[in-house]
Amino acid sequence: MKSAQAEKSGHKPIVVVRQLGRQDYEPVWQAMQRFTAKRTPETTSEIWVVEHNPVFTQGQAGKPEHVLDPGEIPIVQTDRGGQVTYHGPGQLVVYLLMSLREAGLGVRGFVSAMENAIINVLADLGIEAHARSDAPGVYIGDAKIAALGLRVKRGYTYHGLSFNIDMDLEPFSRINPCGYHGLAVTQLRDQTGQHELVTLAEKVVNEICRLTGHQLTRQ
C-alpha cells in the first residue's frame, strides 16, 4: 500500500530514523513536543526508536483507578491518546513524528498503518495477529503484544507504538492495561523465542515507511 500523497506527487517524502538507545521517558516526550511545536511544512519527518527505563504513562483518557499498585515505578501523566500503559527495558518503542498530509492519511488510517506494520512483521515470523476495533493495538489471540498512543497537532503526529519483545511483563499486572481489567499481555519471546530488538526495530520501521509511503534515511 502506498500513501495517496506519494501516489499523487510521484515521489516519496523522506523520514529520518534516529536510534535513541535506553532513555528516561520524560526527556524524550518533551523533545517530541518541542520538535512538533517548531516544525513547518519543510521540516523532515522523523521516527525515533527507543527503549525506556521502567515507567507507567497515563494518556489523556487515563483514570487513576486503572493504576492498581505502581510500587516504585513512576507514573507520568502525558498528552497522548489512550489510558495507562507500561514501558520498560526489552520493549521496542517507536515514536512517529510525521505529517498526515505527507502520508495522505487521516488519523484513523494512520493508526491502521501502525497496527498493520506490527501485524505484518509478526506474520513474517509465522505469528497470526490482529487489531481490535474496540481497543487499539495488536493482539495474539486475546493477549496484547503492542499498544498504540498518538497525539496530532496541526496535522503532525507524535508519540507512537510500543511492541513487547523480551521484557519483564510483571508491571502490567499492576495496572489495567489500556484501561481494560484483566487484559492479558504477551511478548514476542513467549511466542517464538526470537527477540532481537534491533532486528525487529528495523523491520517495524521499514514496514511503517512502506505503509505510509515514506523513504527512510538514517542519522
Side-chain angles (χ1 to χ4, degrees), residues 9-57:
S9 65
H11 70 276
K12 294 183 178 182
I14 298 293
V15 61
V16 173
V17 178
R18 300 188 187 277
Q19 302 285 341
L20 304 186
R22 178 85 62 85
Q23 301 277 347
D24 287 338
Y25 177 82
E26 288 192 81
V28 178
W29 168 37
Q30 292 161 0
M32 286 192 289
Q33 290 179 312
R34 290 193 298 269
F35 179 93
T36 304
K38 293 179 179 178
R39 72 176 297 175
T40 71
E42 289 69 44
T43 303
T44 302
S45 292
E46 298 192 3
I47 295 176
W48 296 357
V49 178
V50 63
E51 281 182 272
H52 283 307
N53 294 316
V55 64
F56 294 116
T57 65

mmCIF file of all heavy atoms in Angstrom, residues 9-57:
data_model
loop_
_atom_site.group_PDB
_atom_site.id
_atom_site.type_symbol
_atom_site.label_atom_id
_atom_site.label_comp_id
_atom_site.label_asym_id
_atom_site.label_seq_id
_atom_site.Cartn_x
_atom_site.Cartn_y
_atom_site.Cartn_z
ATOM 1 N N SER A 9 2.116 12.701 -5.961
ATOM 2 C CA SER A 9 3.305 13.503 -6.228
ATOM 3 C C SER A 9 4.344 12.765 -7.060
ATOM 4 O O SER A 9 5.199 13.376 -7.684
ATOM 5 C CB SER A 9 3.948 13.937 -4.904
ATOM 6 O OG SER A 9 4.419 12.810 -4.198
ATOM 7 N N GLY A 10 4.280 11.435 -7.052
ATOM 8 C CA GLY A 10 5.236 10.657 -7.823
ATOM 9 C C GLY A 10 6.561 10.450 -7.113
ATOM 10 O O GLY A 10 7.472 9.857 -7.672
ATOM 11 N N HIS A 11 6.696 10.947 -5.900
ATOM 12 C CA HIS A 11 7.917 10.695 -5.148
ATOM 13 C C HIS A 11 7.559 10.480 -3.680
ATOM 14 O O HIS A 11 6.487 10.879 -3.229
ATOM 15 C CB HIS A 11 8.901 11.853 -5.283
ATOM 16 C CG HIS A 11 8.454 13.098 -4.570
ATOM 17 N ND1 HIS A 11 7.587 13.998 -5.141
ATOM 18 C CD2 HIS A 11 8.749 13.579 -3.329
ATOM 19 C CE1 HIS A 11 7.359 14.987 -4.288
ATOM 20 N NE2 HIS A 11 8.039 14.759 -3.192
ATOM 21 N N LYS A 12 8.469 9.856 -2.969
ATOM 22 C CA LYS A 12 8.214 9.551 -1.568
ATOM 23 C C LYS A 12 8.837 10.616 -0.674
ATOM 24 O O LYS A 12 10.006 10.970 -0.851
ATOM 25 C CB LYS A 12 8.802 8.188 -1.217
ATOM 26 C CG LYS A 12 8.135 7.023 -1.911
ATOM 27 C CD LYS A 12 8.745 5.708 -1.444
ATOM 28 C CE LYS A 12 8.060 4.529 -2.101
ATOM 29 N NZ LYS A 12 8.617 3.244 -1.624
ATOM 30 N N PRO A 13 8.088 11.105 0.310
ATOM 31 C CA PRO A 13 8.693 12.018 1.274
ATOM 32 C C PRO A 13 9.727 11.285 2.131
ATOM 33 O O PRO A 13 9.620 10.086 2.364
ATOM 34 C CB PRO A 13 7.496 12.482 2.122
ATOM 35 C CG PRO A 13 6.462 11.423 1.931
ATOM 36 C CD PRO A 13 6.660 10.864 0.560
ATOM 37 N N ILE A 14 10.721 12.031 2.570
ATOM 38 C CA ILE A 14 11.807 11.471 3.381
ATOM 39 C C ILE A 14 11.395 11.432 4.852
ATOM 40 O O ILE A 14 10.728 12.341 5.360
ATOM 41 C CB ILE A 14 13.086 12.322 3.236
ATOM 42 C CG1 ILE A 14 13.571 12.300 1.781
ATOM 43 C CG2 ILE A 14 14.186 11.851 4.178
ATOM 44 C CD1 ILE A 14 14.054 10.956 1.318
ATOM 45 N N VAL A 15 11.814 10.380 5.550
ATOM 46 C CA VAL A 15 11.703 10.339 7.006
ATOM 47 C C VAL A 15 13.061 9.895 7.563
ATOM 48 O O VAL A 15 13.673 8.948 7.066
ATOM 49 C CB VAL A 15 10.572 9.406 7.479
ATOM 50 C CG1 VAL A 15 10.782 7.970 7.052
ATOM 51 C CG2 VAL A 15 10.402 9.495 8.995
ATOM 52 N N VAL A 16 13.550 10.617 8.555
ATOM 53 C CA VAL A 16 14.816 10.318 9.212
ATOM 54 C C VAL A 16 14.549 9.398 10.402
ATOM 55 O O VAL A 16 13.638 9.645 11.198
ATOM 56 C CB VAL A 16 15.499 11.611 9.706
ATOM 57 C CG1 VAL A 16 16.730 11.293 10.540
ATOM 58 C CG2 VAL A 16 15.884 12.484 8.515
ATOM 59 N N VAL A 17 15.332 8.344 10.535
ATOM 60 C CA VAL A 17 15.199 7.416 11.661
ATOM 61 C C VAL A 17 16.363 7.634 12.622
ATOM 62 O O VAL A 17 17.523 7.637 12.215
ATOM 63 C CB VAL A 17 15.169 5.958 11.169
ATOM 64 C CG1 VAL A 17 15.083 5.004 12.360
ATOM 65 C CG2 VAL A 17 13.995 5.744 10.238
ATOM 66 N N ARG A 18 16.036 7.820 13.879
ATOM 67 C CA ARG A 18 17.056 8.056 14.907
ATOM 68 C C ARG A 18 16.966 6.957 15.974
ATOM 69 O O ARG A 18 15.889 6.672 16.497
ATOM 70 C CB ARG A 18 16.869 9.427 15.558
ATOM 71 C CG ARG A 18 16.961 10.581 14.563
ATOM 72 C CD ARG A 18 16.954 11.933 15.274
ATOM 73 N NE ARG A 18 16.865 13.026 14.322
ATOM 74 C CZ ARG A 18 17.891 13.551 13.674
ATOM 75 N NH1 ARG A 18 19.097 13.062 13.878
ATOM 76 N NH2 ARG A 18 17.724 14.551 12.824
ATOM 77 N N GLN A 19 18.094 6.371 16.302
ATOM 78 C CA GLN A 19 18.195 5.361 17.355
ATOM 79 C C GLN A 19 18.611 6.057 18.652
ATOM 80 O O GLN A 19 19.730 6.562 18.754
ATOM 81 C CB GLN A 19 19.220 4.300 16.962
ATOM 82 C CG GLN A 19 18.927 3.584 15.649
ATOM 83 C CD GLN A 19 17.808 2.582 15.762
ATOM 84 O OE1 GLN A 19 17.461 2.140 16.861
ATOM 85 N NE2 GLN A 19 17.242 2.192 14.630
ATOM 86 N N LEU A 20 17.737 6.077 19.639
ATOM 87 C CA LEU A 20 17.999 6.818 20.873
ATOM 88 C C LEU A 20 18.540 5.953 22.002
ATOM 89 O O LEU A 20 18.954 6.489 23.038
ATOM 90 C CB LEU A 20 16.713 7.517 21.348
ATOM 91 C CG LEU A 20 16.030 8.462 20.345
ATOM 92 C CD1 LEU A 20 14.872 9.187 21.025
ATOM 93 C CD2 LEU A 20 17.018 9.452 19.753
ATOM 94 N N GLY A 21 18.509 4.640 21.830
ATOM 95 C CA GLY A 21 19.011 3.775 22.902
ATOM 96 C C GLY A 21 18.066 3.731 24.090
ATOM 97 O O GLY A 21 16.850 3.874 23.951
ATOM 98 N N ARG A 22 18.627 3.542 25.299
ATOM 99 C CA ARG A 22 17.835 3.490 26.533
ATOM 100 C C ARG A 22 17.708 4.892 27.122
ATOM 101 O O ARG A 22 18.718 5.547 27.356
ATOM 102 C CB ARG A 22 18.503 2.555 27.544
ATOM 103 C CG ARG A 22 17.807 2.430 28.901
ATOM 104 C CD ARG A 22 16.708 1.411 28.883
ATOM 105 N NE ARG A 22 17.201 0.080 28.599
ATOM 106 C CZ ARG A 22 17.707 -0.763 29.517
ATOM 107 N NH1 ARG A 22 17.795 -0.392 30.789
ATOM 108 N NH2 ARG A 22 18.123 -1.959 29.166
ATOM 109 N N GLN A 23 16.477 5.325 27.358
ATOM 110 C CA GLN A 23 16.235 6.687 27.820
ATOM 111 C C GLN A 23 15.114 6.714 28.856
ATOM 112 O O GLN A 23 14.185 5.898 28.810
ATOM 113 C CB GLN A 23 15.805 7.589 26.642
ATOM 114 C CG GLN A 23 16.796 7.697 25.515
ATOM 115 C CD GLN A 23 17.878 8.718 25.776
ATOM 116 O OE1 GLN A 23 17.765 9.525 26.703
ATOM 117 N NE2 GLN A 23 18.929 8.696 24.980
ATOM 118 N N ASP A 24 15.176 7.697 29.768
ATOM 119 C CA ASP A 24 14.016 8.001 30.599
ATOM 120 C C ASP A 24 12.897 8.537 29.719
ATOM 121 O O ASP A 24 13.146 9.137 28.656
ATOM 122 C CB ASP A 24 14.370 9.038 31.668
ATOM 123 C CG ASP A 24 15.228 8.459 32.785
ATOM 124 O OD1 ASP A 24 15.210 7.221 32.979
ATOM 125 O OD2 ASP A 24 15.918 9.248 33.456
ATOM 126 N N TYR A 25 11.666 8.377 30.166
ATOM 127 C CA TYR A 25 10.525 8.749 29.340
ATOM 128 C C TYR A 25 10.360 10.261 29.176
ATOM 129 O O TYR A 25 10.198 10.765 28.053
ATOM 130 C CB TYR A 25 9.235 8.166 29.936
ATOM 131 C CG TYR A 25 7.994 8.554 29.174
ATOM 132 C CD1 TYR A 25 7.619 7.861 28.035
ATOM 133 C CD2 TYR A 25 7.210 9.629 29.585
ATOM 134 C CE1 TYR A 25 6.496 8.222 27.313
ATOM 135 C CE2 TYR A 25 6.088 9.995 28.866
ATOM 136 C CZ TYR A 25 5.730 9.290 27.735
ATOM 137 O OH TYR A 25 4.624 9.667 27.024
ATOM 138 N N GLU A 26 10.396 11.001 30.270
ATOM 139 C CA GLU A 26 10.006 12.410 30.210
ATOM 140 C C GLU A 26 10.877 13.258 29.282
ATOM 141 O O GLU A 26 10.348 14.075 28.514
ATOM 142 C CB GLU A 26 9.949 13.009 31.613
ATOM 143 C CG GLU A 26 8.755 12.512 32.412
ATOM 144 C CD GLU A 26 8.526 13.313 33.680
ATOM 145 O OE1 GLU A 26 7.925 14.406 33.590
ATOM 146 O OE2 GLU A 26 8.955 12.833 34.746
ATOM 147 N N PRO A 27 12.214 13.135 29.301
ATOM 148 C CA PRO A 27 13.002 13.954 28.376
ATOM 149 C C PRO A 27 12.684 13.684 26.908
ATOM 150 O O PRO A 27 12.691 14.607 26.085
ATOM 151 C CB PRO A 27 14.452 13.573 28.712
ATOM 152 C CG PRO A 27 14.402 13.062 30.110
ATOM 153 C CD PRO A 27 13.084 12.370 30.225
ATOM 154 N N VAL A 28 12.397 12.438 26.566
ATOM 155 C CA VAL A 28 12.065 12.102 25.183
ATOM 156 C C VAL A 28 10.701 12.683 24.819
ATOM 157 O O VAL A 28 10.515 13.255 23.735
ATOM 158 C CB VAL A 28 12.093 10.583 24.963
ATOM 159 C CG1 VAL A 28 11.689 10.227 23.531
ATOM 160 C CG2 VAL A 28 13.485 10.032 25.262
ATOM 161 N N TRP A 29 9.729 12.568 25.712
ATOM 162 C CA TRP A 29 8.409 13.149 25.485
ATOM 163 C C TRP A 29 8.515 14.659 25.269
ATOM 164 O O TRP A 29 7.931 15.210 24.335
ATOM 165 C CB TRP A 29 7.509 12.823 26.675
ATOM 166 C CG TRP A 29 6.221 13.582 26.733
ATOM 167 C CD1 TRP A 29 5.423 13.953 25.678
ATOM 168 C CD2 TRP A 29 5.582 14.065 27.906
ATOM 169 N NE1 TRP A 29 4.324 14.630 26.131
ATOM 170 C CE2 TRP A 29 4.390 14.715 27.493
ATOM 171 C CE3 TRP A 29 5.884 13.992 29.265
ATOM 172 C CZ2 TRP A 29 3.513 15.301 28.407
ATOM 173 C CZ3 TRP A 29 5.004 14.577 30.166
ATOM 174 C CH2 TRP A 29 3.832 15.223 29.745
ATOM 175 N N GLN A 30 9.288 15.329 26.128
ATOM 176 C CA GLN A 30 9.439 16.777 25.989
ATOM 177 C C GLN A 30 10.129 17.151 24.684
ATOM 178 O O GLN A 30 9.785 18.149 24.043
ATOM 179 C CB GLN A 30 10.207 17.325 27.194
ATOM 180 C CG GLN A 30 9.411 17.237 28.496
ATOM 181 C CD GLN A 30 10.269 17.342 29.741
ATOM 182 O OE1 GLN A 30 11.502 17.495 29.656
ATOM 183 N NE2 GLN A 30 9.646 17.255 30.897
ATOM 184 N N ALA A 31 11.081 16.333 24.245
ATOM 185 C CA ALA A 31 11.743 16.582 22.968
ATOM 186 C C ALA A 31 10.772 16.415 21.804
ATOM 187 O O ALA A 31 10.829 17.177 20.819
ATOM 188 C CB ALA A 31 12.934 15.637 22.804
ATOM 189 N N MET A 32 9.861 15.449 21.902
ATOM 190 C CA MET A 32 8.848 15.290 20.867
ATOM 191 C C MET A 32 7.937 16.515 20.795
ATOM 192 O O MET A 32 7.580 16.980 19.703
ATOM 193 C CB MET A 32 7.994 14.050 21.140
ATOM 194 C CG MET A 32 8.673 12.731 20.856
ATOM 195 S SD MET A 32 7.500 11.342 20.863
ATOM 196 C CE MET A 32 7.102 11.215 22.608
ATOM 197 N N GLN A 33 7.553 17.030 21.958
ATOM 198 C CA GLN A 33 6.708 18.219 21.988
ATOM 199 C C GLN A 33 7.403 19.405 21.330
ATOM 200 O O GLN A 33 6.797 20.134 20.539
ATOM 201 C CB GLN A 33 6.343 18.568 23.431
ATOM 202 C CG GLN A 33 5.378 17.600 24.091
ATOM 203 C CD GLN A 33 5.080 17.993 25.521
ATOM 204 O OE1 GLN A 33 5.995 18.271 26.302
ATOM 205 N NE2 GLN A 33 3.813 18.047 25.874
ATOM 206 N N ARG A 34 8.690 19.599 21.647
ATOM 207 C CA ARG A 34 9.428 20.725 21.069
ATOM 208 C C ARG A 34 9.560 20.568 19.562
ATOM 209 O O ARG A 34 9.380 21.536 18.805
ATOM 210 C CB ARG A 34 10.819 20.830 21.715
ATOM 211 C CG ARG A 34 10.795 21.284 23.164
ATOM 212 C CD ARG A 34 12.183 21.662 23.640
ATOM 213 N NE ARG A 34 13.113 20.537 23.589
ATOM 214 C CZ ARG A 34 13.318 19.698 24.596
ATOM 215 N NH1 ARG A 34 12.651 19.838 25.735
ATOM 216 N NH2 ARG A 34 14.208 18.717 24.481
ATOM 217 N N PHE A 35 9.887 19.370 19.115
ATOM 218 C CA PHE A 35 10.041 19.122 17.679
ATOM 219 C C PHE A 35 8.743 19.443 16.946
ATOM 220 O O PHE A 35 8.751 20.119 15.900
ATOM 221 C CB PHE A 35 10.426 17.657 17.455
ATOM 222 C CG PHE A 35 10.590 17.261 16.017
ATOM 223 C CD1 PHE A 35 11.830 17.304 15.403
ATOM 224 C CD2 PHE A 35 9.494 16.834 15.267
ATOM 225 C CE1 PHE A 35 11.984 16.946 14.067
ATOM 226 C CE2 PHE A 35 9.640 16.473 13.932
ATOM 227 C CZ PHE A 35 10.890 16.532 13.339
ATOM 228 N N THR A 36 7.624 18.978 17.488
ATOM 229 C CA THR A 36 6.333 19.164 16.831
ATOM 230 C C THR A 36 5.902 20.626 16.849
ATOM 231 O O THR A 36 5.352 21.138 15.865
ATOM 232 C CB THR A 36 5.274 18.279 17.489
ATOM 233 O OG1 THR A 36 5.724 16.907 17.456
ATOM 234 C CG2 THR A 36 3.933 18.374 16.789
ATOM 235 N N ALA A 37 6.169 21.321 17.953
ATOM 236 C CA ALA A 37 5.777 22.730 18.062
ATOM 237 C C ALA A 37 6.527 23.610 17.068
ATOM 238 O O ALA A 37 5.984 24.596 16.552
ATOM 239 C CB ALA A 37 6.014 23.226 19.481
ATOM 240 N N LYS A 38 7.770 23.249 16.775
ATOM 241 C CA LYS A 38 8.623 24.087 15.917
ATOM 242 C C LYS A 38 8.563 23.727 14.447
ATOM 243 O O LYS A 38 8.990 24.513 13.600
ATOM 244 C CB LYS A 38 10.077 23.990 16.392
ATOM 245 C CG LYS A 38 10.334 24.596 17.754
ATOM 246 C CD LYS A 38 11.797 24.425 18.158
ATOM 247 C CE LYS A 38 12.080 25.045 19.517
ATOM 248 N NZ LYS A 38 13.498 24.841 19.927
ATOM 249 N N ARG A 39 8.024 22.541 14.120
ATOM 250 C CA ARG A 39 8.157 22.083 12.742
ATOM 251 C C ARG A 39 7.256 22.880 11.798
ATOM 252 O O ARG A 39 6.225 23.431 12.187
ATOM 253 C CB ARG A 39 7.910 20.590 12.625
ATOM 254 C CG ARG A 39 6.482 20.109 12.796
ATOM 255 C CD ARG A 39 6.387 18.601 12.543
ATOM 256 N NE ARG A 39 6.761 18.288 11.158
ATOM 257 C CZ ARG A 39 6.861 17.049 10.688
ATOM 258 N NH1 ARG A 39 6.649 16.003 11.473
ATOM 259 N NH2 ARG A 39 7.191 16.847 9.412
ATOM 260 N N THR A 40 7.655 22.918 10.546
ATOM 261 C CA THR A 40 6.937 23.584 9.468
ATOM 262 C C THR A 40 6.727 22.567 8.352
ATOM 263 O O THR A 40 7.242 21.443 8.425
ATOM 264 C CB THR A 40 7.745 24.780 8.934
ATOM 265 O OG1 THR A 40 8.878 24.276 8.202
ATOM 266 C CG2 THR A 40 8.227 25.681 10.066
ATOM 267 N N PRO A 41 6.010 22.944 7.278
ATOM 268 C CA PRO A 41 5.857 22.000 6.158
ATOM 269 C C PRO A 41 7.188 21.565 5.541
ATOM 270 O O PRO A 41 7.249 20.532 4.871
ATOM 271 C CB PRO A 41 5.003 22.790 5.157
ATOM 272 C CG PRO A 41 4.189 23.706 6.010
ATOM 273 C CD PRO A 41 5.114 24.117 7.119
ATOM 274 N N GLU A 42 8.251 22.341 5.766
ATOM 275 C CA GLU A 42 9.556 21.983 5.213
ATOM 276 C C GLU A 42 10.360 21.065 6.136
ATOM 277 O O GLU A 42 11.420 20.554 5.748
ATOM 278 C CB GLU A 42 10.384 23.247 4.937
ATOM 279 C CG GLU A 42 9.884 24.074 3.749
ATOM 280 C CD GLU A 42 8.552 24.748 4.015
ATOM 281 O OE1 GLU A 42 8.390 25.314 5.118
ATOM 282 O OE2 GLU A 42 7.678 24.699 3.143
ATOM 283 N N THR A 43 9.896 20.865 7.350
ATOM 284 C CA THR A 43 10.621 20.026 8.310
ATOM 285 C C THR A 43 10.537 18.558 7.901
ATOM 286 O O THR A 43 9.449 18.041 7.621
ATOM 287 C CB THR A 43 10.037 20.193 9.724
ATOM 288 O OG1 THR A 43 10.082 21.566 10.106
ATOM 289 C CG2 THR A 43 10.813 19.356 10.737
ATOM 290 N N THR A 44 11.666 17.886 7.868
ATOM 291 C CA THR A 44 11.684 16.453 7.553
ATOM 292 C C THR A 44 11.107 15.658 8.713
ATOM 293 O O THR A 44 11.475 15.865 9.875
ATOM 294 C CB THR A 44 13.121 15.983 7.266
ATOM 295 O OG1 THR A 44 13.655 16.753 6.187
ATOM 296 C CG2 THR A 44 13.151 14.511 6.894
ATOM 297 N N SER A 45 10.192 14.756 8.414
ATOM 298 C CA SER A 45 9.610 13.906 9.448
ATOM 299 C C SER A 45 10.671 12.971 10.030
ATOM 300 O O SER A 45 11.687 12.686 9.386
ATOM 301 C CB SER A 45 8.450 13.090 8.869
ATOM 302 O OG SER A 45 7.364 13.927 8.543
ATOM 303 N N GLU A 46 10.424 12.516 11.245
ATOM 304 C CA GLU A 46 11.384 11.647 11.922
ATOM 305 C C GLU A 46 10.671 10.481 12.603
ATOM 306 O O GLU A 46 9.504 10.594 13.013
ATOM 307 C CB GLU A 46 12.205 12.427 12.955
ATOM 308 C CG GLU A 46 13.049 13.537 12.340
ATOM 309 C CD GLU A 46 14.078 14.124 13.290
ATOM 310 O OE1 GLU A 46 14.184 13.639 14.439
ATOM 311 O OE2 GLU A 46 14.791 15.060 12.863
ATOM 312 N N ILE A 47 11.391 9.383 12.752
ATOM 313 C CA ILE A 47 10.971 8.244 13.562
ATOM 314 C C ILE A 47 12.046 8.010 14.604
ATOM 315 O O ILE A 47 13.226 7.900 14.252
ATOM 316 C CB ILE A 47 10.775 6.978 12.707
ATOM 317 C CG1 ILE A 47 9.620 7.169 11.713
ATOM 318 C CG2 ILE A 47 10.504 5.760 13.597
ATOM 319 C CD1 ILE A 47 9.428 5.997 10.761
ATOM 320 N N TRP A 48 11.664 7.961 15.867
ATOM 321 C CA TRP A 48 12.614 7.739 16.957
ATOM 322 C C TRP A 48 12.399 6.345 17.527
ATOM 323 O O TRP A 48 11.270 5.980 17.889
ATOM 324 C CB TRP A 48 12.424 8.776 18.058
ATOM 325 C CG TRP A 48 12.702 10.201 17.637
ATOM 326 C CD1 TRP A 48 13.154 10.639 16.426
ATOM 327 C CD2 TRP A 48 12.516 11.371 18.438
ATOM 328 N NE1 TRP A 48 13.284 12.005 16.431
ATOM 329 C CE2 TRP A 48 12.904 12.486 17.638
ATOM 330 C CE3 TRP A 48 12.074 11.584 19.741
ATOM 331 C CZ2 TRP A 48 12.836 13.795 18.130
ATOM 332 C CZ3 TRP A 48 12.008 12.886 20.227
ATOM 333 C CH2 TRP A 48 12.398 13.983 19.423
ATOM 334 N N VAL A 49 13.482 5.588 17.616
ATOM 335 C CA VAL A 49 13.439 4.237 18.174
ATOM 336 C C VAL A 49 14.127 4.261 19.531
ATOM 337 O O VAL A 49 15.270 4.717 19.652
ATOM 338 C CB VAL A 49 14.134 3.241 17.224
ATOM 339 C CG1 VAL A 49 14.139 1.841 17.827
ATOM 340 C CG2 VAL A 49 13.453 3.237 15.857
ATOM 341 N N VAL A 50 13.453 3.749 20.557
ATOM 342 C CA VAL A 50 13.957 3.903 21.915
ATOM 343 C C VAL A 50 13.483 2.751 22.793
ATOM 344 O O VAL A 50 12.478 2.098 22.503
ATOM 345 C CB VAL A 50 13.484 5.275 22.495
ATOM 346 C CG1 VAL A 50 11.971 5.336 22.607
ATOM 347 C CG2 VAL A 50 14.142 5.591 23.826
ATOM 348 N N GLU A 51 14.233 2.467 23.834
ATOM 349 C CA GLU A 51 13.777 1.669 24.978
ATOM 350 C C GLU A 51 13.677 2.620 26.164
ATOM 351 O O GLU A 51 14.529 3.497 26.329
ATOM 352 C CB GLU A 51 14.780 0.582 25.337
ATOM 353 C CG GLU A 51 14.780 -0.653 24.485
ATOM 354 C CD GLU A 51 15.808 -1.649 25.015
ATOM 355 O OE1 GLU A 51 16.978 -1.550 24.595
ATOM 356 O OE2 GLU A 51 15.455 -2.506 25.849
ATOM 357 N N HIS A 52 12.671 2.419 26.993
ATOM 358 C CA HIS A 52 12.534 3.280 28.166
ATOM 359 C C HIS A 52 12.893 2.539 29.449
ATOM 360 O O HIS A 52 12.682 1.321 29.563
ATOM 361 C CB HIS A 52 11.107 3.816 28.287
ATOM 362 C CG HIS A 52 10.810 4.931 27.337
ATOM 363 N ND1 HIS A 52 11.595 6.058 27.240
ATOM 364 C CD2 HIS A 52 9.805 5.104 26.442
ATOM 365 C CE1 HIS A 52 11.084 6.876 26.335
ATOM 366 N NE2 HIS A 52 10.017 6.318 25.831
ATOM 367 N N ASN A 53 13.405 3.299 30.395
ATOM 368 C CA ASN A 53 13.501 2.797 31.758
ATOM 369 C C ASN A 53 12.080 2.645 32.304
ATOM 370 O O ASN A 53 11.150 3.287 31.817
ATOM 371 C CB ASN A 53 14.324 3.757 32.614
ATOM 372 C CG ASN A 53 15.775 3.811 32.168
ATOM 373 O OD1 ASN A 53 16.389 2.778 31.886
ATOM 374 N ND2 ASN A 53 16.331 5.015 32.076
ATOM 375 N N PRO A 54 11.878 1.785 33.325
ATOM 376 C CA PRO A 54 10.520 1.471 33.766
ATOM 377 C C PRO A 54 9.690 2.709 34.097
ATOM 378 O O PRO A 54 10.123 3.593 34.841
ATOM 379 C CB PRO A 54 10.754 0.614 35.017
ATOM 380 C CG PRO A 54 12.068 -0.067 34.743
ATOM 381 C CD PRO A 54 12.894 0.982 34.053
ATOM 382 N N VAL A 55 8.474 2.764 33.540
ATOM 383 C CA VAL A 55 7.572 3.892 33.768
ATOM 384 C C VAL A 55 6.153 3.490 33.370
ATOM 385 O O VAL A 55 5.949 2.736 32.425
ATOM 386 C CB VAL A 55 8.022 5.139 32.950
ATOM 387 C CG1 VAL A 55 7.941 4.873 31.451
ATOM 388 C CG2 VAL A 55 7.232 6.376 33.334
ATOM 389 N N PHE A 56 5.188 3.968 34.136
ATOM 390 C CA PHE A 56 3.791 3.910 33.722
ATOM 391 C C PHE A 56 3.429 5.265 33.132
ATOM 392 O O PHE A 56 3.760 6.306 33.723
ATOM 393 C CB PHE A 56 2.856 3.629 34.908
ATOM 394 C CG PHE A 56 3.037 2.264 35.524
ATOM 395 C CD1 PHE A 56 3.476 2.135 36.834
ATOM 396 C CD2 PHE A 56 2.764 1.110 34.811
ATOM 397 C CE1 PHE A 56 3.635 0.895 37.419
ATOM 398 C CE2 PHE A 56 2.933 -0.143 35.379
ATOM 399 C CZ PHE A 56 3.365 -0.257 36.684
ATOM 400 N N THR A 57 2.748 5.270 31.989
ATOM 401 C CA THR A 57 2.306 6.535 31.418
ATOM 402 C C THR A 57 0.787 6.531 31.311
ATOM 403 O O THR A 57 0.182 5.549 30.867
ATOM 404 C CB THR A 57 2.926 6.800 30.037
ATOM 405 O OG1 THR A 57 2.479 5.832 29.094
ATOM 406 C CG2 THR A 57 4.455 6.769 30.127
#
